[in-house]
Amino acid sequence: MGLVTESKRLDLIMKKAEIPANELARISALCGLEILDTPSEERFDRITRIAQRHFNVPIALVSLVDRGRQWFKSRQGLDAAETPRDVSFCGHAIFSDDIFYIPDALADARFADNPLVTGAPHVRFYAGAPLHSPEGQRIGTLCIIDQLPRESTSTDLAVLRDLADCVEEEFKRSKLLGAVEQVKGLTTRLQLATESANVGVWDWDVVGNELVWDKVMYQLYGIDPNKFGGAYAAWLAGIHPEDAVRANEAIQMALTGDKQYDTEFRVVLPNGNVRWLKATAMVQRGADGKPLKMIGTNWDITESKCAQSELQSRENRIRALVDTIVDGIIVIDAKGDIQTANPAAISLFGYAIDEIQGKNVKMLMPEPYASEHDGYLNNYLTSNIKKIIGIGREVTGKRKDGTTFPMDLAVGEMEVGGERMFTGIVRDVTERKRLEQLKSEFISTVSHELRTPLTSIRGALSLLMGKAAEHLPEKARRMLEMAERNSERLTLLINDILDLEKIEAGRLEFDFKDLDLVDVAARALEDNGGYASKHQVQLVFDQQVTQAPVRADEHRLLQVFANLISNAVKYSPTGGTVTVSVVAHDDKFCVEVRDHGSGIPQEFRNRIFQRFAQADSSDTRGKGGTGLGLSITKAIIERHEGQIGYESESGMGSVFYFKLPRAGAGQCRRLEDQQHDTTTSICVRALICEDNPDVAQILAEMVRQDGVTCDVAGTAAIARGLLAEHDYRLLLLDLTLPDTDGLTFLRELRGNEATAQLPVIVVSGQALEGRATFNGNAVTVVDWIQKPVDRMRLGRALQDALHRVKRPHILHVEDDTDILEVTRTLLEDMADLTYVTNLREARQQLAAQIFDMVILDLGLPDGSGIELLEELQGRCPVVIFSAQIPSRDVTAQVATALTKSMTNNEELLGTIKKILNLKDTAA
Ligand code: ADP
């Protein structure tokens, strides 16, 4: 019991092993040794065995103090591999560099009740020499233990310390061995890496001039290791002669410290092959700064050098191409700043490259394009709406000296390094423009030169065939027919070629108006009816809509119809039918021309719209035609923003169709209305002499509906003035005028030579009385109409009056006497003609006489007929009959413009009669 009480008392004072302040560093040093939990090793066991025997103790240990335990790397006389740290003696021993020495644990209050003392292994004596890690941390002890108390001499403790030092040496050895292993591993890895990367490693002892190469170095230089001199000169001997000086210099500069060694050179292999090597190295120096060693690497860069040189030569080729190309190339960035330009662009604009590089491309454009350019570019970048990019167009360029020139510009877009760039290819087209001008002048000359003689040939033949045919012998008639047919063909060909020329040059003028396609189709059927019946083909109009408003040029559309209908007729069998229909198709109208003829051969289909394309070349003679019609037709339809196409089955016939966009319905005007505007209104003018403005207005409206324009005079005096000024074709006269009695005024007019023949319609409240007064009088009055006016009667009177006019007097201004001869023969039955061949004579005639019409050629020996047009100022209707097609401005000033060779005798005659308002029978 006493022992228990004693034990309890001691328990209160037992000291646990504490944790030292530097525990973290200590544990890290212990772990760094990588020794914990490793198997026992003889080199440690040898020491504990010596200690056990030398001190004659049952237990000797190499104990390592870990976080919560002490672990024994070597143990003699103890089974346990580890024990808890807090009850350990060693836990105390690591607090000091001195040996921790307990002679009798039972007599020591700190350990008397320690379980290792009270129980197995029953420690009484303990002496532990602290063990240091190579870094100096106390990580454990070499300790000896006895189960009996004992004293130790200082010699004993010194031996224990010596043995502990031996253990520490082993720790160092472990660390060293670890490092050696690591270096070995590293070296192997490095060797593996350099070998697999084909990197050669060299080591040059500068002082002793000893050069050591690894295996790869020998391979790189193609040298047998046994034949290598192992010195600097041996290396230099392998360098390509052209690179040797440079390679040597690089080494020397590295040695002097002027430049890091990093170079490239060629080596010549013993078999003569050349290899490019890259070389780098480090210089090791002594304490005095003198170079001792150079360690470096070499590796093969032949492949990348070849690729680089290939790249270089490719770049050189591209550069040469860009530099020598005749077109200018300018690259700009998204801000419009010029990045680069080739020599052609530079010389085109007259700048030096550094004068434009980095500047905005605006400097190469005149106003207003320069100011608009930023906006355009921004617009494109934000909205992606392209105006030029990928399209190309003709623009104006500005040179350094401020002069401008026309140029073609094509712009491409690209991305370089994530940045948007634009490439402009520019070409000066001044010369091309000049040639185009020459060409168009040439064409205009040819058209004049060819059309004029052709018109007279055609006109003369037609007259001959019409008037004198029956008096000719059969053979002569056949010859004439042949000549006429061929002149028609030649005419067709010339007209088509000229049209085509104009289309190409973009000069084919279009006069877009709101039209009804149904009307145009009906008119086309009428126009081409003659041609169809000549070929014994029936033309049928299958009108599926009542109205088809489109915006189109009437004349050009009729040309399209004529081509499609004539083709359909030409290729129809005798007795066949050609059907023309107008169909509504969503937002378009579609015209179809269907025949049941030969159809389009399969092999011809991809060429059908090409120029001079004919399925059967003998068609030119057999069926007549040029092979140009469809290509002109297509161009015309495309200018109308329409589409043309066909469907065909060989032997079954074809359907050619075109589609035009629908115009707003309200815009559709009847064709007849427009014809009124352009023909009658210009030529027939009446005077209404009526003092009541309301009545005058009603009369004017009625008259206008019959296509007659009129002026109103409220008094006889005003009427007199107007009659002197204008050439009226009719007078509507009231008998009660404020200043003069109507009948008196009528007599006055008849007495005056200029108005003696003027048709007069009396419209008056006293018409009947007036007529009674005039009865038997020689004065002619077309009709006496009583107010209120009977509309029908007035209409009849108007027609009567207009056809009662005297034979019209026409002035024909034309320098080609053959044409004069033809028109004279054509018109002599219906009009009096005066001919002049130049402007001067025309002016004389116009000053001396009043004419009802002027037929005017434009190209005259002493100037252009247009000059005369200005002088005539609407005095009488003018018909231009010329080889040139006048501009729209000029056409607007005249009754009509006919083109020689496009107009045959019948058309000319019909047009003139219409304008003069002559009934057909009058001729
Ligand atoms: P051409 O003046 O020869 O008629 P086009 O350009 O109008 O010239 O037509 C070219 C060719 O297309 C014709 O020569 C003919 O071979 C073929 N072709 C055109 N329309 C028809 C059709 N309706 N039926 C058969 N072949 C046609």
Side-chain angles (χ1 to χ4, degrees):
M1 280 296 278
L3 186 69
V4 171
T5 312
E6 182 65 12
S7 152
K8 263 192 179 167
R9 188 185 62 81
L10 284 175
D11 192 26
L12 286 172
I13 55 169
M14 183 202 120
K15 190 163 166 48
K16 286 186 177 178
E18 289 178 0
I19 304 295
N22 64 342
E23 177 69 0
L24 254 179
R26 208 187 58 78
I27 292 293
S28 135
L30 173 61
C31 292
L33 277 179
E34 293 180 350
I35 199 169
L36 285 171
D37 300 309
T38 54
S40 58
E41 284 177 71
E42 179 54 24
R43 55 196 179 111
F44 292 106
D45 293 346
R46 194 181 297 135
I47 299 172
T48 48
R49 267 200 314 274
I50 293 171
Q52 185 188 32
R53 283 194 206 122
H54 175 76
F55 294 109
N56 193 22
V57 286
I59 299 172
L61 304 168
V62 171
S63 164
L64 299 170
V65 181
D66 195 7
R67 288 179 188 85
R69 60 173 182 162
Q70 59 174 345
W71 176 82
F72 310 119
K73 172 63 187 170
S74 174
R75 52 195 150 89
Q76 306 298 337
L78 188 70
D79 290 335
E82 59 182 46
T83 58
R85 178 174 174 175
D86 54 353
V87 297
S88 73
F89 285 68
C90 298
H92 293 268
I94 58 169
F95 272 82
S96 164
D97 278 339
D98 299 333
I99 290 175
F100 188 66
Y101 165 55
I102 307 291
D104 184 356
L106 277 181
D108 191 318
R110 292 172 295 176
F111 297 102
D113 59 349
N114 185 306
L116 299 177
V117 177
T118 54
H122 300 287
V123 180
R124 287 294 295 273
F125 164 78
Y126 173 91
L131 292 172
H132 297 86
S133 72
E135 298 86 0
Q137 293 289 347
R138 290 188 288 269
I139 53 172
T141 62
L142 170 69
C143 60
I144 47 175
I145 292 168
D146 199 350
Q147 288 159 344
L148 297 170
R150 61 192 280 174
E151 291 297 330
S152 298
T153 63
S154 58
T155 316
D156 288 340
L157 295 183
V159 172
L160 186 63
R161 182 64 252 167
D162 282 346
L163 288 173
D165 287 348
C166 291
V167 176
E168 283 179 2
E169 280 307 310
E170 287 306 323
F171 286 162
K172 279 186 195 151
R173 210 152 72 88
S174 306
K175 191 108 183 171
L176 214 60
L177 280 175
V180 168
E181 281 309 309
Q182 226 170 352
V183 170
K184 261 194 202 159
L186 263 177
T187 312
T188 316
R189 283 206 295 279
L190 190 68
Q191 199 173 348
L192 253 170
T194 54
E195 277 178 23
S196 60
N198 228 13
V199 174
V201 181
W202 52 271
D203 186 326
W204 178 42
D205 174 357
V206 180
V207 183
N209 188 17
E210 193 185 338
L211 180 59
V212 180
W213 280 4
D214 75 350
K215 199 167 78 188
V216 180
M217 283 297 285
Y218 291 110
Q219 288 164 4
L220 287 176
Y221 286 75
I223 293 178
D224 181 344
N226 301 321
K227 294 183 183 156
F228 181 54
Y232 186 75
W235 164 72
L236 205 54
I239 309 293
H240 191 288
E242 284 173 20
D243 298 346
V245 173
R246 196 167 44 78
N248 183 42
E249 261 171 24
I251 293 279
Q252 298 313 321
M253 283 166 93
L255 292 177
T256 54
D258 288 336
K259 203 172 166 197
Q260 186 112 13
Y261 185 70
D262 184 347
T263 187
E264 291 170 4
F265 48 77
R266 281 165 293 175
V267 292
V268 183
L269 275 51
N271 64 6
N273 285 353
V274 173
R275 180 172 281 165
W276 269 100
L277 296 184
K278 167 110 181 144
T280 58
M282 274 169 19
V283 181
Q284 288 179 357
R285 296 175 191 280
D288 56 358
K290 288 219 173 95
L292 300 175
K293 251 181 178 245
M294 264 184 99
I295 301 171
T297 53
N298 277 186
W299 67 93
D300 190 346
I301 53 165
T302 312
E303 217 168 281
S304 80
K305 272 283 177 190
C306 287
Q308 198 180 331
S309 106
E310 169 64 17
L311 208 69
Q312 187 65 44
S313 72
R314 201 178 308 169
E315 195 190 316
N316 290 346
R317 283 201 297 274
I318 292 173
R319 177 129 303 278
L321 187 82
V322 170
D323 284 354
T324 53
I325 212 161
V326 288
D327 286 335
I329 300 176
I330 300 169
V331 180
I332 62 166
D333 63 14
K335 292 202 298 284
D337 293 342
I338 297 170
Q339 300 295 304
T340 181
N342 73 340
I346 290 163
S347 78
L348 187 60
F349 289 94
Y351 284 100
I353 181 72
D354 48 353
E355 286 177 307
I356 59 168
Q357 214 158 25
K359 308 241 173 70
N360 198 284
V361 71
K362 286 189 288 196
M363 69 189 289
L364 307 178
M365 308 167 190
E367 287 299 349
Y369 313 108
S371 305
E372 289 165 1
H373 190 259
D374 279 349
Y376 165 61
L377 203 60
N378 276 340
N379 212 17
Y380 171 64
L381 292 172
T382 49
S383 71
N384 248 7
I385 298 170
K386 299 179 181 182
K387 279 200 180 146
I388 295 189
I389 294 158
I391 303 163
R393 61 163 55 169
E394 195 182 302
V395 297
T396 308
K398 190 176 88 176
R399 300 189 188 92
K400 186 181 177 182
D401 63 9
T403 54
T404 57
F405 62 97
M407 62 181 204
D408 269 352
L409 170 66
V411 181
E413 192 180 354
M414 57 184 180
E415 217 180 273
V416 183
E419 211 187 317
R420 233 178 201 190
M421 299 274 190
F422 301 93
T423 317
I425 299 183
V426 290
R427 176 179 292 182
D428 185 345
V429 292
T430 312
E431 182 59 17
R432 192 181 79 197
K433 286 265 169 203
R434 199 181 63 80
L435 290 176
E436 272 171 12
Q437 176 70 23
L438 276 180
K439 188 171 146 197
S440 88
E441 280 166 13
F442 172 74
I443 285 163
S444 138
T445 312
V446 166
S447 74
H448 187 82
E449 295 304 322
L450 286 180
R451 276 179 165 163
T452 305
L454 204 57
T455 305
S456 42
I457 294 170
R458 205 169 149 217
L461 284 170
S462 154
L463 282 171
L464 205 56
M465 288 300 292
K467 285 188 178 173
E470 66 254 38
H471 308 300
L472 290 170
E474 174 59 19
K475 199 167 174 188
R477 208 168 51 78
R478 276 213 319 279
M479 289 293 131
L480 278 178
E481 265 172 18
M482 191 172 74
E484 192 187 20
R485 212 171 42 243
N486 279 288
S487 79
E488 297 284 338
R489 250 184 60 203
L490 195 56
T491 308
L492 208 69
L493 185 64
I494 285 170
N495 290 338
D496 277 358
I497 288 177
L498 290 170
D499 265 357
L500 210 63
E501 201 52 58
K502 284 198 162 174
I503 288 172
E504 267 193 349
R507 283 189 299 112
L508 195 65
E509 283 193 26
F510 284 78
D511 184 11
F512 288 103
K513 288 197 174 120
D514 295 311
L515 299 176
D516 184 352
L517 197 53
V518 173
D519 277 351
V520 185
R523 169 91 173 272
L525 260 84
E526 210 178 293
D527 290 354
N528 293 281
Y531 183 80
S533 46
K534 203 165 105 191
H535 285 77
Q536 294 173 40
V537 170
Q538 200 194 348
L539 267 188
V540 177
F541 188 19
D542 172 21
Q543 182 190 336
Q544 300 194 14
V545 289
T546 49
Q547 248 199 4
V550 292
R551 189 140 182 94
D553 179 320
E554 183 200 340
H555 176 71
R556 299 286 172 214
L557 270 197
L558 286 171
Q559 199 178 342
V560 167
F561 271 106
N563 182 256
L564 297 184
I565 293 175
S566 68
N567 277 350
V569 167
K570 257 194 301 192
Y571 295 96
S572 282
T574 310
T577 306
V578 167
T579 314
V580 177
S581 52
V582 182
V583 199
H585 256 288
D586 304 328
D587 56 344
K588 295 189 176 69
F589 287 108
C590 180
V591 172
E592 294 178 359
V593 179
R594 182 184 299 272
D595 67 61
H596 305 280
S598 53
I600 317 290
Q602 192 66 41
E603 63 282 3
F604 178 60
R605 293 190 182 177
N606 55 357
R607 287 191 296 126
I608 190 158
F609 288 109
Q610 288 174 10
R611 282 167 208 171
F612 296 106
Q614 290 182 314
D616 178 352
S617 55
S618 64
D619 278 2
T620 310
R621 291 180 305 282
K623 304 225 181 265
T626 58
L628 292 171
L630 283 178
S631 81
I632 294 172
T633 299
K634 183 163 184 277
I636 293 175
I637 291 300
E638 282 169 359
R639 277 293 299 273
H640 281 79
E641 283 163 14
Q643 296 98 37
I644 187 164
Y646 67 94
E647 283 162 19
S648 180
E649 211 177 311
S650 255
M652 303 294 284
S654 322
V655 189
F656 278 79
Y657 60 85
F658 65 88
K659 293 176 186 170
L660 295 184
R662 191 188 279 259
Q667 294 167 338
C668 181
R669 285 168 72 204
R670 309 300 294 180
L671 205 57
E672 298 93 324
D673 296 351
Q674 293 174 17
Q675 281 164 357
H676 260 167
D677 292 355
T678 52
T679 53
T680 23
S681 64
I682 295 171
C683 352
V684 181
R685 195 163 184 172
L687 178 64
I688 299 172
C689 188
E690 164 68 64
D691 64 331
N692 182 323
D694 294 339
V695 176
Q697 202 184 337
I698 291 167
L699 277 177
E701 192 48 45
M702 286 178 173
V703 171
R704 237 174 244 136
Q705 284 176 6
D706 283 315
V708 178
T709 46
C710 32
D711 298 330
V712 175
T715 64
I718 298 173
R720 242 177 247 121
L722 286 171
L723 282 165
E725 240 175 77
H726 301 288
D727 190 14
Y728 291 107
R729 296 275 296 276
L730 176 67
L731 172 68
L732 279 84
L733 180 67
D734 185 11
L735 293 180
T736 51
L737 295 169
D739 53 346
T740 316
D741 163 41
L743 291 176
T744 315
F745 184 47
L746 191 56
R747 275 190 208 98
E748 179 193 319
L749 292 177
R750 291 301 179 238
N752 183 334
E753 195 195 345
T755 50
Q757 297 297 322
L758 179 68
V760 174
I761 300 172
V762 172
V763 183
S764 171
Q766 284 88 42
L768 299 178
E769 294 89 327
R771 182 162 58 181
T773 315
F774 260 73
N775 239 353
N777 197 306
V779 176
T780 40
V781 168
V782 179
D783 201 358
W784 301 82
I785 299 175
Q786 185 71 22
K787 286 178 182 169
V789 178
D790 173 354
R791 169 80 187 83
M792 300 283 281
R793 183 162 173 182
L794 178 64
R796 277 198 302 277
L798 271 178
Q799 290 305 318
D800 200 8
L802 292 176
H803 292 118
R804 228 188 242 199
V805 284
K806 63 182 190 327
R807 260 169 74 86
H809 192 182
I810 298 174
L811 174 66
H812 192 175
V813 190
E814 166 68 66
D815 60 338
D816 187 292
T817 48
D818 289 346
I819 293 215
L820 286 177
E821 180 65 23
V822 171
T823 39
R824 189 186 62 73
T825 316
L826 190 66
L827 301 175
E828 63 191 0
D829 292 345
M830 53 156 278
D832 298 329
L833 284 117
T834 299
Y835 304 101
V836 289
T837 55
N838 55 48
L839 281 181
R840 188 180 49 77
E841 288 169 11
R843 286 193 181 104
Q844 282 170 357
Q845 286 296 336
L846 285 165
Q849 306 190 54
I850 292 174
F851 290 96
D852 297 291
M853 173 185 277
V854 175
I855 301 175
L856 184 62
D857 186 14
L858 294 182
L860 293 163
D862 54 349
S864 165
I866 294 171
E867 292 173 36
L868 207 61
L869 207 57
E870 283 153 13
E871 292 161 27
L872 272 167
Q873 284 189 340
R875 262 163 56 194
C876 69
V878 176
V879 171
I880 291 179
F881 188 47
S882 168
Q884 302 160 29
I885 299 175
S887 72
R888 211 170 291 160
D889 284 357
V890 171
T891 313
Q893 295 177 50
V894 298
T896 193
L898 300 174
T899 309
K900 285 174 186 171
S901 84
M902 282 191 177
T903 318
N904 62 25
N905 287 358
E906 289 73 36
E907 284 162 343
L908 182 63
L909 194 64
T911 310
I912 289 172
K913 279 182 182 171
K914 203 167 187 178
I915 293 169
L916 290 173
N917 232 324
L918 297 177
K919 282 183 185 157
D920 272 350
T921 47

